[in-house]
Amino acid sequence: MTGSDAIDDTADDHVQLETKLIEQDRDATGFSTADVDETSAQHLVGDLLEDDVVIPVAEQRVLVHEPSGTAFDSITQLAVFHRGWAAARGAGEEDA
């Protein structure tokens, strides 16, 4: 296209906008075990144990995330799960 038609052409704008929105969604929801190191996981899980959000089950050697009922044998996995769970709960409360 030439002249002012090239400037006024917005045919591909919706594709660019959709691509940016998908990238933002991935950034907002992307949790990884790499986001939580061992030390921060231990601190978070320690706090959750004190607050009775996590219950240890000694005979099965697992920690149960009480609000969801999910059991974990890894402190890091539990910490990552709880961060995602808390973020999802926070997003749900904003919609209400």
Side-chain angles (χ1 to χ4, degrees), residues 39-54 82:
T39 303
S40 63
Q42 288 176 356
H43 288 291
L44 176 60
V45 172
D47 292 343
L48 296 174
L49 284 165
E50 288 179 14
D51 295 339
D52 294 327
V53 174
V54 171
H82 180 76

Side-chain angles (χ1 to χ4, degrees), residues 23-47:
E23 289 172 0
Q24 289 173 357
D25 286 347
R26 286 183 186 153
D27 290 343
T29 59
F31 287 101
S32 167
T33 55
D35 293 341
V36 179
D37 63 11
E38 187 69 28
T39 303
S40 63
Q42 288 176 356
H43 288 291
L44 176 60
V45 172
D47 292 343

